[in-house]
Amino acid sequence: MQITAENILLIGSLLLILSIIASKTAGKAGIPVLLLFLGVGMLAGTDGIGKIAFDDPGAAQFLGILALTYILFFRWSGHQMAVH
């Protein structure tokens, strides 16, 4: 599969939909959502079904710091993002 903008959007959309379904399922089943997200990530990764190669540690660190900043600032401080 070639890496094009369309393929990135398709794979990103499928992962987002799968994550939403996993989140809703986890809430009903009483399973921690983090476990299901880890499972989705493992399935999409290099050794899973998705075979998505991610070999850039700098980008991984940046995305991790960005996600942690979002969690710490918006989730624990009580702020909510306004979507217009």
Side-chain angles (χ1 to χ4, degrees):
M1 178 187 298
Q2 290 183 336
I3 299 177
T4 63
E6 291 85 10
N7 287 341
I8 291 172
L9 283 173
L10 176 67
I11 291 171
S13 300
L14 291 175
L15 286 175
L16 182 64
I17 290 170
L18 188 59
S19 297
I20 291 170
I21 292 171
S23 175
K24 296 295 182 183
T25 304
K28 292 180 182 178
I31 301 170
V33 177
L34 178 61
L35 291 178
L36 290 179
F37 283 154
L38 285 172
V40 169
M42 290 171 59
L43 284 174
T46 307
D47 296 330
I49 297 170
K51 304 288 184 200
I52 297 174
F54 191 72
D55 299 330
D56 188 0
Q61 181 182 13
F62 175 74
L63 290 174
I65 290 171
L66 195 66
L68 183 61
T69 304
Y70 172 79
I71 291 168
L72 291 176
F73 183 72
F74 289 109
R75 296 296 178 175
W76 284 359
S77 66
H79 290 93
Q80 292 185 358
M81 292 181 65
V83 179
H84 299 285

